[in-house]
């Protein structure tokens, strides 16, 4: 298959949508949250299914996805675009809020849904909380939702044992069943595309300081955001261009397109069956007569040869911290689930900085506090998710830089005129205390606060 045809299709999928005339102020939010069985037993999936049905009836949501056992794992409100779903497993609840221009509108809907769900779960000795890793993961059935996509993903992540590569694989391939994120999607214009990707990639070390909330309690507690490791050191990270941030500067869109063309595909569908195979860069994939993959049927996996089709580009999916989507948006994926009362901080931070994009770009481009010391943004992020910060950093100057960035976000929100700057207050408190939710969790735990109490605290408005 000709490379130009492939690049043209990639352009149509990722770049062309940013050139369409549309409003540039829409925001979409996805908040994943762990479900916890307060009896220290596995989450009761029958309870999950019962509450899903109650939620749908109460809020007039319609079933969108059912698993192979007939249980609903996704339901939608066709008026607002809001979705209740379960991400990877029934241990992880997700509320996706349909696009709006004002964060206050989204916050009101989130609070309404959350209050109902939490109340119903607690009637049944379960609850929801705001932690990036399920604190009771050791009690749960960490199994995927029984459908083609999630079973394929689970199988793909477990295939790390088949590789003999010079990279480190962690031993938590089921991490999708117990890790939770807080994601934001925002429209991006063609003119701002490259600046957005570079500025927000350079921002990632600072986001680690403010938002880290994924402690693997009892293991590797020196990492405050173990979620990064989950993605990078799994089969998703075999091709480093599929994960993390953009560490290179793009001088034009053609260079960005070349980067996209270097990312890997690892699954397709044939005859309504998901097939996964070792990740292969998309250009190389289309140069092969076939690839050998596996699909699930009748309780076991079968080998199959897959002949590439140009339509398979629709299955190319990366897990970048700044992910360019087919909707003409950038999805920001690097932030852990936050304490519930702080849920809107993530969107507010990104929305405010988008309004001050040029100022953010130049501030980080000219920075000497964390940059110009021989480290890339990716390397700095790996340092800043640790409990101990690197010795070369002057902490007074570091938190001075954080304040400059927060002030930019605040200025951007004020200029929007919706009063959304109120959602940044928790981040200013974190700045003053030089902490984040993960660091605070460990401090409170070490002071003798029980995990049960911390689950309660992180789940409150």
């Amino acid at each position: 298959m000709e490379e130009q045809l492939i690049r043209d299709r990639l352009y149509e999928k990722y770049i062309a949508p940013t050139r369409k005339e549309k409003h540039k102020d829409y925001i979409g939010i996805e908040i994943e949250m762990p479900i916890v069985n307060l009896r220290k037993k596995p989450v009761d999936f029958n309870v999950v299914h019962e509450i899903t049905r109650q939620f749908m009836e109460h809020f007039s949501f319609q079933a969108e996805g059912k698993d192979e056992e007939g249980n609903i794992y996704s339901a939608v409100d066709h008026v607002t675009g809001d979705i209740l779903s379960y991400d990877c497993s029934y241990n992880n609840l997700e509320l996706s809020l349909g696009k709006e221009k004002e964060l206050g509108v989204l916050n009101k809907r989130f609070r309404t849904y959350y209050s109902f769900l939490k109340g119903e779960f607690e009637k049944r000795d379960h609850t929801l909380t705001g932690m990036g890793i399920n604190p009771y993961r050791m009690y749960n059935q960490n199994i995927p939702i029984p459908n083609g996509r999630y079973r394929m993903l689970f199988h793909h992540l477990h295939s790390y044992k088949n590789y003999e590569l010079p990279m480190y694989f962690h031993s938590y391939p089921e991490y999708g069943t117990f890790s939770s994120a807080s994601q934001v999607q925002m429209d991006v214009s063609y003119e701002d595309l490259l600046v957005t990707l570079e500025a927000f990639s350079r921002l990632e070390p600072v986001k680690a300081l403010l938002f880290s909330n994924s402690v693997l309690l009892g293991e590797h507690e020196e990492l405050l955001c173990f979620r990064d490791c989950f993605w990078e050191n799994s089969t998703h990270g075999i091709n480093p261009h599929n994960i993390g941030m953009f560490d290179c500067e793009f001088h034009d869109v053609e260079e960005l397109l070349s980067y996209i063309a270097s990312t890997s595909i690892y699954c397709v569908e044939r005859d309504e069956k998901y097939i996964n195979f070792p990740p292969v860069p998309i250009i190389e994939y289309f140069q092969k007569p076939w690839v050998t993959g596996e699909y699930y049927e009748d309780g076991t996996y079968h080998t199959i040869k897959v002949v590439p089709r140009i339509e398979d580009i629709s299955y190319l999916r990366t897990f970048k911290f700044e992910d360019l989507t087919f909707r003409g948006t950038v999805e920001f994926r690097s932030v852990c689930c936050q304490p519930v009362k702080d849920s809107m901080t993530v969107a507010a931070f990104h929305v405010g900085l988008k309004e001050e994009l040029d100022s953010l770009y130049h501030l980080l481009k000219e920075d000497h506090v964390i940059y110009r010391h021989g480290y890339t943004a990716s390397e700095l992020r790996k340092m800043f998710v640790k409990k101990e910060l690197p010795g070369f950093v002057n902490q007074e100057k570091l938190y001075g830089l954080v304040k400059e960035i927060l002030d930019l976000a605040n200025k951007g929100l004020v200029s929007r005129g919706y009063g959304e700057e109120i959602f940044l207050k928790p981040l200013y408190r974190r700045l003053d205390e030089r902490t984040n939710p993960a660091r605070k969790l460990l401090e409170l735990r070490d002071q003798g606060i029980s995990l049960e109490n911390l689950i309660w605290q992180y789940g409150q408005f």
Side-chain angles (χ1 to χ4, degrees):
M1 196 175 295
E2 292 184 7
E3 182 172 336
Q4 189 57 50
L5 172 61
I6 302 165
R7 290 177 68 91
D8 288 346
R9 288 296 187 97
L10 291 172
Y11 185 95
E12 290 172 15
K13 179 179 178 180
Y14 292 105
I15 308 298
T18 68
R19 307 198 74 150
K20 294 179 180 177
E21 287 297 323
K22 58 182 177 179
H23 294 292
K24 298 296 189 292
D25 296 325
Y26 282 127
I27 311 155
I29 297 175
E30 299 171 15
I31 300 173
E32 302 167 5
M33 294 165 286
I35 303 171
V36 174
N37 187 335
L38 296 172
R39 295 181 180 180
K40 296 184 179 179
K41 294 181 178 181
V43 168
D44 187 336
F45 294 164
N46 289 325
V47 165
V48 173
H49 302 322
E50 179 185 355
I51 291 173
T52 301
R53 290 189 293 269
Q54 286 185 309
F55 179 93
M56 291 172 61
E57 181 177 346
H58 187 81
F59 292 105
S60 299
F61 276 49
Q62 304 299 311
E64 186 181 46
K66 290 186 179 182
D67 67 24
E68 293 166 0
E69 297 168 2
N71 296 306
I72 296 167
Y73 65 84
S74 178
V76 62
D77 179 339
H78 290 291
V79 175
T80 62
D82 296 344
I83 299 172
L84 167 72
S85 64
Y86 297 91
D87 187 72
C88 290
S89 84
Y90 288 117
N91 299 312
N92 197 30
L93 184 147
E94 178 174 342
L95 287 171
S96 303
L97 304 173
K99 64 182 183 180
E100 295 284 352
K101 289 189 175 182
E102 298 181 41
L103 285 177
V105 175
L106 294 171
N107 182 53
K108 184 177 179 180
R109 297 210 303 258
F110 172 73
R111 291 176 69 98
T112 301
Y113 299 147
Y114 180 80
S115 296
F116 177 88
L117 290 164
K118 185 174 174 65
E120 293 302 320
F121 273 112
E122 290 185 346
K123 289 177 185 177
R124 298 161 178 83
D125 293 322
H126 287 62
T127 195
L128 298 170
T129 192
M131 296 180 183
I133 294 178
N134 194 313
Y136 280 1
R137 72 188 188 282
M138 69 290 291
Y139 305 121
N140 284 339
Q141 303 177 70
N142 291 312
I143 57 177
I145 291 169
N147 72 2
R149 179 186 168 212
Y150 286 123
R151 187 184 289 112
M152 175 278 299
L153 182 58
F154 202 71
H155 184 61
H156 174 63
L157 291 169
H158 276 77
S159 71
Y160 76 95
K161 295 177 182 178
N162 300 335
Y163 292 89
E164 294 181 3
L165 292 175
M167 68 175 286
Y168 163 72
F169 286 113
H170 62 66
S171 56
Y172 308 96
E174 71 284 0
Y175 69 85
T177 68
F178 59 77
S179 66
S180 303
S182 181
Q183 298 170 178
V184 184
Q185 281 201 30
M186 296 188 297
D187 288 317
V188 62
S189 68
Y190 180 84
E191 293 74 21
D192 289 339
L193 179 54
L194 299 183
V195 174
T196 298
L197 294 179
E198 182 174 343
F200 280 95
S201 288
R202 285 177 169 269
L203 183 65
E204 286 299 337
V206 172
K207 287 167 63 176
L209 288 176
L210 287 170
F211 293 107
S212 287
N213 191 29
S214 291
V215 180
L216 199 63
L217 290 168
E219 304 175 64
H220 310 294
E221 290 186 359
E222 71 278 7
L223 288 177
L224 302 179
C225 184
F226 202 87
R227 187 171 167 272
D228 286 13
C229 183
F230 283 151
W231 292 93
E232 292 170 3
N233 297 110
S234 72
T235 50
H236 285 316
I238 289 173
N239 182 345
H241 279 196
N242 277 53
I243 47 86
M245 62 200 75
F246 297 95
D247 259 338
C248 53
E249 294 182 27
F250 301 117
H251 298 94
D252 53 43
V253 169
E254 281 300 310
E255 288 189 15
L256 172 60
L257 193 62
S258 294
Y259 190 103
I260 294 171
S262 74
T263 61
S264 293
I265 185 171
Y266 66 91
C267 74
V268 295
E269 271 186 288
R270 295 289 188 268
D271 299 323
E272 299 184 345
K273 294 182 179 66
Y274 270 96
I275 302 164
N276 75 275
F277 41 82
V280 55
I282 192 70
I283 296 293
E284 292 180 26
Y285 171 75
F286 286 115
Q287 292 171 345
K288 294 177 178 290
W290 68 77
V291 297
T292 302
E294 294 181 298
Y295 70 95
Y296 179 88
E297 188 173 53
D298 298 329
T300 189
Y301 284 91
H302 306 269
T303 301
I304 186 173
K305 287 184 177 180
V306 177
V307 177
R309 303 172 183 169
I310 191 63
E311 294 79 16
D312 292 340
I313 280 178
S314 65
Y315 295 97
L316 177 63
R317 188 181 180 196
T318 59
F319 300 92
K320 306 292 291 180
F321 285 168
E322 289 74 36
D323 229 355
L324 183 59
T325 78
F326 64 89
R327 301 180 182 91
T329 64
V330 173
E331 184 172 17
F332 299 94
R333 304 171 55 91
S334 66
V335 177
C336 319
C337 168
Q338 298 294 288
V340 172
K341 62 183 173 57
D342 299 343
S343 291
M344 290 298 129
T345 58
V346 183
F349 184 72
H350 289 86
V351 170
L353 289 174
K354 182 194 173 190
E355 295 294 316
E356 295 294 324
L357 180 61
D358 287 341
S359 296
L360 175 67
Y361 173 82
H362 290 294
L363 175 64
L364 294 175
K365 186 80 170 176
E366 298 163 9
D367 171 67
H368 286 72
V369 176
I370 60 176
Y371 289 103
R372 315 293 177 94
H373 294 279
Y375 299 103
T376 66
S378 292
E379 291 166 338
L380 290 168
R381 168 90 183 187
K382 292 181 192 305
M383 295 176 187
F384 285 18
V385 296
K386 293 182 178 180
K387 192 185 301 183
E388 298 295 329
L389 294 175
F392 73 85
V393 174
N394 180 309
Q395 293 201 26
E396 290 298 323
K397 292 182 179 179
L398 172 61
Y399 284 99
L401 174 64
V402 175
K403 185 176 186 305
E404 282 189 76
I405 292 169
L406 278 178
D407 287 345
L408 274 181
N410 189 79
K411 180 181 177 183
L413 293 174
V414 169
S415 71
R416 284 166 53 83
Y418 300 127
E420 297 159 322
E421 57 274 13
I422 191 173
F423 296 122
L424 293 180
K425 285 187 176 181
L427 300 185
Y428 277 104
R429 285 195 293 271
R430 294 177 194 178
L431 169 66
D432 291 340
E433 298 173 9
R434 297 188 178 183
T435 193
N436 55 47
R439 195 178 294 278
K440 195 72 174 177
L441 178 74
L442 292 175
E443 289 173 358
L444 292 172
R445 192 273 313 269
D446 292 344
Q447 292 169 14
I449 305 298
S450 68
L451 182 54
E452 292 75 17
N453 189 296
L454 292 169
I455 290 169
W456 179 84
Q457 285 189 38
Y458 276 58
Q460 295 303 303
F461 272 127

